[in-house]
Amino acid sequence: MKSRSAIIPVFIAAFLFSCGENGKAKAEIDQNAAENDSIQETVSVTIPEEQLTTAEYEYEVVVPDLQIAWGMDFLPDGSMLITEKSGDLIHFENGQKRQVEGAPSVYNRGQGGFLDVAVGPNYESDGWIYFTYSSEAGEGEGGNTELMRAKLENNQLTNKEVLYKATPNTTRGQHFGSRIDFDTEGHLYFSIGDRGDRDVNPQDLTRDGGKVYRLNLDGSIPQDNPFIGEAGAKEGTYSYGHRNPQGMIFNPETNEIWVHEHGPQGGDEINVVKKGANYGWPVVSYGINYDGTSFTDETTGPDFEDPIYYWVPSIAPSGFVYVTSDKYPELKGNLLVGSLKFQYVEHMRLDGKKVTAREKILEQIGRVRDVVQSPEGDIYVSVEGKGIVKILPKQ
Ligand SMILES: [Ca+2]
């Protein structure tokens, strides 16, 4: 095992805690602990930024006047479904926003609320749309992440079916996940974060939280999931030891689900999701606590799957795209990641499963909550307090 390899200055810890995932809490810095924790080694997986593209990018606001548009996806007619974290589902069609009736009631607390929306892979034949949100359903005070599918008819959600509800409810406001994506073999994947209970949830297969789940499109559990038949196991679990994944893609080159996840200070990661794998949280991490103290000396170990990339400092990633569009030749085949904390979109050049270079685009645009590619190949970015913008290569 090697030891942690990042240097995290105290002022960055303070900045991150005030501007990152939550954006509300104040940092309480333990200066002595932070100084003691500065280990000077070469970082092997994280790389500096550079100018990658000769193209420059600008944007136009397509959907104005949104607060926190947490998730978005496109129907085959080109119209857009948008979740507002506070609970509204919006259908944006022909330049007009309409509030969809019958959206699920959400537990809008901390990082929870109306989360992702994903139009199903067989939408044109079956009409299913998938949603994640935090829900108070079930026993106990508070909420936890829930997955629903429903159909959209006459501006109403109909045929609503709850496919998964994580337990137990808790009043903690942290780490609900949650992104939804699909492979090409009839599976849905979604993420739930550790719910602010890192010492209990992520490493325990009998508990929800800190997991990536794999279900069939009707919500049933695939019989080849890795923990089928294990005593007490949450059998929807596909991988575990995650902290708070808020970005998920299906990589069409490798046929894999990839996630990025918020780490602690200096430990945001990109992980290739493998069946039954343990991503280590909180036993191993490249990060330290936001107050500057250390919770583990280990960054890796034989029982754990390493990230393919980690960020130092943390960028607070949200939204993830593998670009396949011909409209952005210099982005094609690469990754885009939104940064809540530093308020830009990160372009990461990929060589197979290796990030070889990175740069910022749309700098200072605002807290980026989601990034998607439309069926027409346009890239849309949700920016908190601004709305949804389309990226345009500068002419
Ligand atoms: Ca990890």
Side-chain angles (χ1 to χ4, degrees):
M1 293 190 184
K2 57 182 176 161
S3 62
R4 187 181 315 99
S5 50
I7 307 164
I8 311 297
V10 170
F11 72 90
I12 290 182
F15 177 69
L16 187 143
F17 203 71
S18 61
C19 308
E21 286 171 84
N22 196 322
K24 285 177 184 152
K26 292 253 189 297
E28 290 179 16
I29 300 299
D30 180 339
Q31 189 135 11
N32 292 330
E35 285 169 359
N36 292 340
D37 208 65
S38 294
I39 299 164
Q40 303 197 20
E41 275 183 35
T42 305
V43 173
S44 58
V45 191
T46 196
I47 52 176
E49 293 151 34
E50 58 179 293
Q51 184 73 32
L52 289 188
T53 53
T54 54
E56 288 187 83
Y57 299 95
E58 54 194 1
Y59 66 88
E60 67 175 354
V61 177
V62 176
V63 190
D65 302 322
L66 297 169
Q67 296 169 356
I68 299 179
W70 210 97
M72 53 184 161
D73 203 1
F74 294 84
L75 293 168
D77 63 7
S79 67
M80 196 186 306
L81 288 170
I82 302 160
T83 60
E84 275 272 24
K85 178 182 172 294
S86 56
D88 290 346
L89 178 64
I90 293 161
H91 188 198
F92 180 77
E93 188 175 24
N94 302 322
Q96 299 292 320
K97 279 185 285 191
R98 276 205 299 178
Q99 187 174 333
V100 175
E101 306 290 332
S105 72
V106 308
Y107 179 61
N108 183 28
R109 175 181 170 81
Q111 297 162 7
F114 208 162
L115 304 174
D116 210 10
V117 51
V119 175
N122 305 322
Y123 178 84
E124 298 210 59
S125 59
D126 65 20
W128 289 117
I129 303 163
Y130 296 81
F131 306 94
T132 49
Y133 48 92
S134 47
S135 160
E136 295 177 281
E139 291 183 12
E141 195 186 350
N144 213 330
T145 306
E146 185 164 281
L147 172 74
M148 170 187 281
R149 71 173 180 176
K151 300 186 180 187
L152 178 63
E153 297 174 314
N154 302 318
N155 203 45
Q156 285 254 353
L157 282 193
T158 65
N159 299 84
K160 289 186 275 190
E161 296 178 8
V162 172
L163 303 183
Y164 201 92
K165 169 69 194 352
T167 59
N169 287 338
T170 161
T171 55
R172 293 193 186 200
Q174 297 95 357
H175 305 172
F176 294 84
S178 169
R179 293 290 177 192
I180 305 166
D181 213 336
F182 308 94
D183 66 16
T184 53
E185 295 167 353
H187 301 120
L188 174 152
Y189 298 76
F190 73 105
S191 58
I192 303 178
D194 71 9
R195 296 298 284 107
D197 215 344
R198 72 181 188 206
D199 295 325
V200 175
N201 291 329
Q203 294 292 320
D204 186 342
L205 292 171
T206 71
R207 295 180 64 90
D208 284 312
K211 313 287 188 313
V212 170
Y213 297 80
R214 182 176 77 152
L215 303 178
N216 296 316
L217 297 177
D218 65 0
S220 61
I221 293 175
Q223 284 308 299
D224 61 343
N225 264 14
F227 304 111
I228 294 283
E230 274 199 27
K234 298 285 183 179
E235 295 182 330
T237 298
Y238 195 70
S239 62
Y240 66 110
H242 296 282
R243 186 172 179 274
N244 191 27
Q246 292 191 333
M248 182 181 286
I249 56 169
F250 177 73
N251 182 322
E253 297 298 321
T254 65
N255 288 315
E256 293 161 325
I257 294 287
W258 291 16
V259 294
H260 61 56
E261 54 190 284
H262 296 276
Q265 171 70 24
D268 298 347
E269 301 178 347
I270 297 176
N271 288 307
V272 174
V273 173
K274 295 180 181 171
K275 183 177 178 174
N278 182 352
Y279 292 82
W281 178 252
V283 185
V284 295
S285 175
Y286 288 90
I288 58 174
N289 288 320
Y290 283 116
D291 66 2
T293 59
S294 175
F295 57 89
T296 175
D297 291 330
E298 308 302 338
T299 59
T300 185
D303 297 334
F304 306 112
E305 197 67 35
D306 287 328
I308 60 166
Y309 187 79
Y310 64 90
W311 281 272
V312 177
S314 295
I315 67 167
S318 191
F320 203 6
V321 166
Y322 179 94
V323 179
T324 58
S325 172
D326 291 321
K327 292 184 176 177
Y328 311 85
E330 295 191 73
L331 306 181
K332 190 175 180 182
N334 294 344
L335 303 173
L336 297 177
V337 177
S339 169
L340 288 163
K341 186 179 62 162
F342 293 128
Q343 311 198 353
Y344 64 88
V345 174
E346 181 153 323
H347 168 216
M348 311 182 87
R349 184 185 287 156
L350 265 188
D351 179 6
K353 297 185 193 184
K354 192 171 167 53
V355 174
T356 59
R358 48 192 288 254
E359 68 172 347
K360 292 173 180 160
I361 58 178
L362 304 190
E363 284 193 71
Q364 300 304 318
I365 193 170
R367 285 166 57 85
V368 175
R369 180 51 75 179
D370 201 10
V371 188
V372 300
Q373 180 182 301
S374 76
E376 291 76 34
D378 295 308
I379 292 165
Y380 290 77
V381 180
S382 164
V383 183
E384 293 186 5
K386 188 182 295 279
I388 292 170
V389 309
K390 179 158 83 173
I391 300 183
L392 305 168
K394 239 180 213 172
Q395 299 302 314

